């Protein structure tokens, strides 16, 4: 916190309303709880529990870094999650109480990363697998909350083990697999030892991506990067069969689940979801999904199941008709901007790599997706009349889309040389002001059918990061990473005032009374400036670590909000210059933040693809 503001303890916490986000890159990260009512999945450092029917969310906070694996005990009483950390540091496993939604204990032995976790069938033990820098397997007693024993996970002449599965019937047997290694382990509790037996696969050398155990422990199946499946017998440690012989699954079998009624569900890195049976492993039913499949989780016996993909989509599939329904979706790349239409908080738009999405605020539902392949959208704005979404793209084009249909209305080609980096519109809907990577600010006249360049203002020396227009449309302010903010006269189209600071400016706002602006950026200072002569009025210490990237001010100008690389949302009193509330929840750098019209919510977006909705702390 700041030197001059309240001590941490007295600061109120912002209330988190909802999260749009799912980290689809965590293998088997999406889980359906045995109560069949809730989905559990990771997002950054948080573990989310979301009700399938009501979409109500609760959050498990405790990890200091991204969650890398997740598992639920067979009874459903416990959740265990592991995280990544910096090289050489201890990576924590957290054991959670599912019913109370609280942390039971932290288990730390592994270094660097927790690769995989599994509970024994009667909730007696938890087995954990360390990442590549660690390479050990550890068995923990859940009752004592302590390690029983550990061992290197793989032999000397093979690669790392990356997956683990427990026996479904016995608490003393589990299997680990990875690069050229498949091992069946027996736990010897008396001597506090685990004994591995290497499984024999003959001439086949495979890298295992996924693993699943049959309900009666008769066999376990492993999916490989080569796109085939090995069926192994845990008693004899021999291979029973393997397939498919010909058409192997493209980009590997990345997820695999045994079904009670026989047969396997498997997902490939190319997004194919397949039901098949041993020994041919040819698809009996299949559907194509968006993004490589990383999780398949059964609801109950598997009459219905959920699938998570790398593109952060969660699908629900009914086994009988084998058709997918998209349950949840979010950005899978950094979110670059967020904006509300004028005067309404009912919906908002966000943009990221390849797409612009329009969301319904209350239900977090995606209403529209506009995709431009292989391009990144840097900024968006709604025209005041609500008839178009204006967007800034890294290929140097300004594109305008219809907000209901997503149809491209017009594009301004080569609007800027090094990509369009910022954009704003005037309230009379007649002009668009854009900023580019080369530092030019351009004013465009938008007619019914035409878009004409009115003026190119060449003062900034490097990319324009933020543009705000004064209410009467006679003036605008642009912030740039060259350490200047310029106030432009939009009537005579020339510079009025220039503000200089030793920082890369990331964000700027007009105070609603419009005689002051506030700025912030990489020097972590929040500065108030006089519009009339460009003099600095006051400076606040905005954050203790990392740049401030996003800022927005309420319509009354009493409070403003900031967010940045310290992952914290702060609500400030404008006149006092003090923090009133802090929001903890992001695990990526916050890129942009907005207060909704009517001051109901604060919405913040971050570099890990998450969108968070907070309750605005003051009654409007």
């Amino acid at each position: 916190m700041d030197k001059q503001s309240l001590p941490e303890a007295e600061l109120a916490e912002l209330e988190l309303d909802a999260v749009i986000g799912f980290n689809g890159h965590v293998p088997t990260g999406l889980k359906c709880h045995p109560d069949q009512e809730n989905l559990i999945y990771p997002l950054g450092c948080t573990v989310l529990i979301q009700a399938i029917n009501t979409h109500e969310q609760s959050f498990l906070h405790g990890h200091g870094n991204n969650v890398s694996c997740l598992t639920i005990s067979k009874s459903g009483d416990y959740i265990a999650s592991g995280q990544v950390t910096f090289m050489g540091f201890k990576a924590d496993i957290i054991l959670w109480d599912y019913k109370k939604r609280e942390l039971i204990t932290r288990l730390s032995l592994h270094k660097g990363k927790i690769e995989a976790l599994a509970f024994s069938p009667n909730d007696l033990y938890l087995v954990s697998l360390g990442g590549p820098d660690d390479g050990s397997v550890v068995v923990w007693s859940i009752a004592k909350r302590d390690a029983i024993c550990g061992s290197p996970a793989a032999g000397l002449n093979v690669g790392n083990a990356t997956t683990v599965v427990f026996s479904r019937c016995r608490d003393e047997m589990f299997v680990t697999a990875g690069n050229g290694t498949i091992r069946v382990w027996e736990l010897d509790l008396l001597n506090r030892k685990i004994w591995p037996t290497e499984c024999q696969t003959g001439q086949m050398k495979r890298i295992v991506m996924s693993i699943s155990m049959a309900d009666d422990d008769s066999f376990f199946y492993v999916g490989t990067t080569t796109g085939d499946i090995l069926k192994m017998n845990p008693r004899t440690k021999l291979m029973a069969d393997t397939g498919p012989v010909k058409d192997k699954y493209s980009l590997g079998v990345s997820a695999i689940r045994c079904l009670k009624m026989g047969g396997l569900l498997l997902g490939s890195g190319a997004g194919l979801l397949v039901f098949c049976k041993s020994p041919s492993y040819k698809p009996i039913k299949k559907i194509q999904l968006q993004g490589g499949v990383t999780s398949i989780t059964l609801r109950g016996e598997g009459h219905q199941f959920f699938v998570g993909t790398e593109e952060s989509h969660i699908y629900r599939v009914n086994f009988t008709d084998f058709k997918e329904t998209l349950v949840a979706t979010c950005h899978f790349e950094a979110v670059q901007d967020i904006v509300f239409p004028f005067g309404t908080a009912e919906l908002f738009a966000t943009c990221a790599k390849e797409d612009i999405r329009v969301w319904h605020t209350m239900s977090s539902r995606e209403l529209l997706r506009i995709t431009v392949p292989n391009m990144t959208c840097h900024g968006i704005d709604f025209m005041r009349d609500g008839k178009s979404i204006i967007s800034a793209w890294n290929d140097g084009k300004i594109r305008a889309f219809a907000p209901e249909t997503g149809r491209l209305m017009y594009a301004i080609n080569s609007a800027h040389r090094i990509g369009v980096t910022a954009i704003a519109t005037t309230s009379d809907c007649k002009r668009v002001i854009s900023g580019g990577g080369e530092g030019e600010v351009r004013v465009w006249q938008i007619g019914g059918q035409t878009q004409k360049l009115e003026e190119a203002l060449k003062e900034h020396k490097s990319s324009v990061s933020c543009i705000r227009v004064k209410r009467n449309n006679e003036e605008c302010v642009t912030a740039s990473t060259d350490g200047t903010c310029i106030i432009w006269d939009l009537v005579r189209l020339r510079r009025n005032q220039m503000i200089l600071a030793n920082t890369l400016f990331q964000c700027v706002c007009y105070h609603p009374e419009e005689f002051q602006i506030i700025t912030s950026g990489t020097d972590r200072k929040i500065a108030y400036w006089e519009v009339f002569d460009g003099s600095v009025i006051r400076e606040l210490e905005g954050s203790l670590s990392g740049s401030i990237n996003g800022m927005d001010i309420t319509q009354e100008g009493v409070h403003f909000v900031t967010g940045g690389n310290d992952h914290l949302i702060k609500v400030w009193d404008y006149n006092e210059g003090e923090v009133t509330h802090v929001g903890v929840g992001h695990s990526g750098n916050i890129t942009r933040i907005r207060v909704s019209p009517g001051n109901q919510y604060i919405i913040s977006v971050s570099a890990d693809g998450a969108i968070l909705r907070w309750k605005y702390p003051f009654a409007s």
Side-chain angles (χ1 to χ4, degrees):
M1 267 317 108
D2 329 314
K3 312 284 184 293
Q4 74 268 39
S5 76
L6 310 163
E8 293 244 327
E10 295 174 35
L11 281 176
E13 270 213 20
L14 264 189
E15 199 182 320
L16 186 56
D17 259 354
V19 170
I20 304 174
F22 158 58
N23 183 357
H25 292 282
V26 176
T28 70
L30 174 70
K31 301 279 187 198
C32 186
H33 192 271
D35 66 12
Q36 303 188 31
E37 299 288 313
N38 291 283
L39 287 179
I40 299 169
Y41 53 89
L43 172 67
C45 325
T46 313
V47 176
L48 256 91
I49 304 174
Q50 176 164 326
I52 294 172
N53 298 326
T54 62
H55 297 298
E56 197 182 318
Q57 292 176 325
S58 41
F59 314 101
L60 302 178
H61 297 294
H63 285 289
N65 210 317
N66 286 350
V67 175
S68 55
C69 56
L70 182 70
T71 187
I72 305 174
S73 69
K74 204 169 173 181
S75 66
D77 294 346
Y78 301 105
I79 299 174
S81 53
Q83 68 171 60
V84 224
T85 176
F86 307 103
M87 191 152 167
F89 285 88
K90 290 254 164 72
D92 283 354
I93 299 163
I94 297 182
L95 189 64
W96 308 90
D97 183 315
Y98 172 73
K99 290 196 179 67
K100 293 187 186 155
R101 308 277 202 266
E102 62 187 38
L103 184 147
I104 299 173
T105 184
R106 284 176 193 271
L107 309 170
S108 350
L109 266 183
H110 295 289
K111 285 199 170 81
K113 177 186 180 187
I114 310 295
E115 196 74 55
L117 292 163
F119 279 105
S120 75
N122 300 309
D123 291 9
L124 296 184
Y125 312 116
L126 174 70
V127 60
S128 61
L129 208 52
D133 303 337
D134 179 90
S136 61
V137 57
V138 176
V139 177
W140 307 83
S141 158
I142 289 174
K144 297 198 175 111
R145 299 181 184 154
D146 199 11
I148 299 172
C149 54
S151 158
L156 295 172
N157 50 355
V158 292
N160 294 315
T162 51
T163 59
V164 59
V165 66
F166 232 103
S167 147
R168 302 297 295 269
C169 315
R170 295 173 49 220
D171 283 308
E172 289 74 39
M173 189 222 6
F174 62 91
V175 182
T176 61
N179 187 348
T181 166
I182 302 172
R183 284 179 155 191
V184 177
W185 300 77
E186 289 286 343
L187 171 65
D188 174 356
L189 198 58
L190 284 174
N191 301 316
R192 295 186 66 154
K193 285 261 190 301
I194 38 177
W195 304 106
T197 314
E198 201 73 50
C199 291
Q200 299 307 315
T201 54
Q203 290 299 303
M204 290 183 77
K205 294 277 179 281
R206 291 289 186 264
I207 301 171
V208 175
M209 292 178 89
S210 53
I211 186 165
S212 182
M213 180 75 72
D215 273 340
D216 55 0
D217 280 356
S218 53
F219 295 101
F220 64 90
Y221 298 85
V222 296
T224 70
T225 51
T226 333
D228 47 13
I229 296 108
L230 278 48
K231 180 179 181 180
M232 309 293 301
N233 183 326
R235 283 183 301 284
T236 63
K237 327 285 191 277
L238 297 173
M239 189 162 76
D241 63 39
T242 171
V245 184
K246 279 217 180 68
D247 304 312
K248 300 204 188 315
Y249 294 103
S250 173
L251 301 179
V253 177
S254 49
I256 191 165
R257 289 301 305 226
C258 296
L259 294 171
K260 262 226 172 86
M261 52 188 190
L264 295 172
L265 286 172
L266 52 98
S268 78
L272 200 63
L273 179 73
V274 170
F275 172 63
C276 65
K277 285 186 172 156
S278 153
S280 77
Y281 301 103
K282 287 203 175 83
I284 300 167
K285 305 177 172 190
K286 62 176 184 179
I287 37 180
Q288 179 66 47
L289 306 175
Q290 254 187 309
V293 176
T294 51
S295 308
I296 299 173
T297 180
L298 308 182
R299 188 176 185 180
E301 303 286 296
H303 56 89
Q304 193 181 63
F305 54 95
F306 292 88
V307 183
T309 74
E310 280 178 350
E311 292 198 6
S312 300
H313 287 48
I314 300 176
Y315 295 98
R316 183 178 61 229
V317 183
N318 287 332
F319 185 79
T320 40
D321 60 1
F322 223 69
K323 294 251 191 322
E324 80 276 19
T325 315
L326 187 61
V327 191
T329 171
C330 65
H331 291 290
F332 54 97
E333 295 271 351
V335 187
Q336 305 278 349
D337 202 0
I338 173 220
V339 61
F340 283 95
F342 175 73
T344 171
E346 268 180 47
L347 42 106
F348 63 90
T350 56
C351 66
K353 188 178 170 172
E354 297 201 343
D355 56 22
I356 297 170
R357 303 187 187 199
V358 179
W359 306 87
H360 183 256
T361 311
M362 274 317 291
S363 66
S364 305
R365 225 175 54 246
E366 184 183 288
L367 301 175
L368 173 72
R369 186 183 313 182
I370 302 163
T371 308
V372 181
N374 305 328
M375 298 301 167
T376 300
C377 181
H378 286 299
I380 40 175
D381 202 0
F382 279 100
M383 265 300 185
R384 174 70 69 100
D385 57 15
K387 290 193 180 133
S388 57
I389 297 174
I390 314 289
S391 56
W393 295 81
N394 66 343
D395 60 351
K397 293 187 184 183
I398 296 171
R399 293 180 170 88
F401 299 98
E404 272 94 33
T405 57
R407 178 180 64 83
L408 180 67
M409 294 165 70
Y410 61 83
I412 303 175
N413 293 329
S414 40
H416 285 275
R417 279 206 311 280
I418 318 178
V420 191
T421 53
I423 199 136
T425 59
T426 57
S427 61
D428 58 9
C429 306
K430 291 188 175 147
R431 281 171 160 181
V432 166
I433 295 136
S434 63
E438 73 296 313
E440 273 188 35
V441 176
R442 296 189 160 194
V443 182
W444 306 88
Q445 259 184 339
I446 307 295
Q449 303 299 313
T450 57
Q451 304 86 41
K452 190 167 114 241
L453 176 65
E454 205 173 332
E455 190 63 78
L457 306 164
K458 304 180 186 180
E459 297 253 356
H460 288 301
K461 298 286 176 283
S462 78
S463 73
V464 179
S465 52
C466 185
I467 304 173
R468 293 285 172 106
V469 181
K470 200 169 161 176
R471 248 185 257 144
N472 63 6
N473 299 327
E474 287 174 8
E475 187 181 281
C476 76
V477 58
T478 57
S480 165
T481 55
D482 63 1
T484 63
C485 278
I486 297 180
I487 295 159
W488 304 94
D489 183 327
L490 288 179
V491 181
R492 292 175 304 180
L493 296 171
R494 61 192 192 93
R495 182 179 99 189
N496 265 356
Q497 209 57 53
M498 190 173 202
I499 285 163
L500 281 162
N502 188 10
T503 178
L504 313 179
F505 284 116
Q506 299 292 349
C507 43
V508 59
C509 287
Y510 271 103
H511 185 271
E513 288 165 7
E514 296 184 333
F515 48 76
Q516 287 180 6
I517 57 171
I518 47 173
T519 62
S520 197
T522 52
D523 66 351
R524 312 194 299 277
K525 289 189 172 43
I526 296 167
Y528 296 42
W529 308 83
E530 200 68 73
V531 168
F532 170 65
D533 60 356
S535 61
V536 65
I537 304 163
R538 73 195 303 185
E539 265 193 357
L540 311 172
E541 198 58 54
S543 141
L544 288 182
S545 60
S547 160
I548 292 178
N549 307 322
M551 176 188 263
D552 198 21
I553 195 162
T554 59
Q555 284 151 327
E556 307 75 42
V558 183
H559 294 97
F560 66 96
V561 291
T562 60
N565 293 4
D566 62 356
H567 305 178
L568 298 174
I569 306 286
K570 293 181 187 171
V571 182
W572 300 75
D573 183 304
Y574 188 89
N575 291 331
E576 297 297 321
E578 284 181 353
V579 178
T580 63
H581 293 73
V582 174
V584 184
H586 275 287
S587 41
N589 293 344
I590 297 162
T591 48
R592 285 283 188 246
I593 183 167
R594 293 276 183 171
V595 179
S596 70
N599 298 352
Q600 276 175 292
Y601 315 108
I602 297 165
I603 293 190
S604 52
V605 297
S606 61
D608 57 5
I611 303 168
L612 273 64
R613 186 177 89 224
W614 310 81
K615 211 187 215 93
Y616 185 73
F618 303 100
S620 50

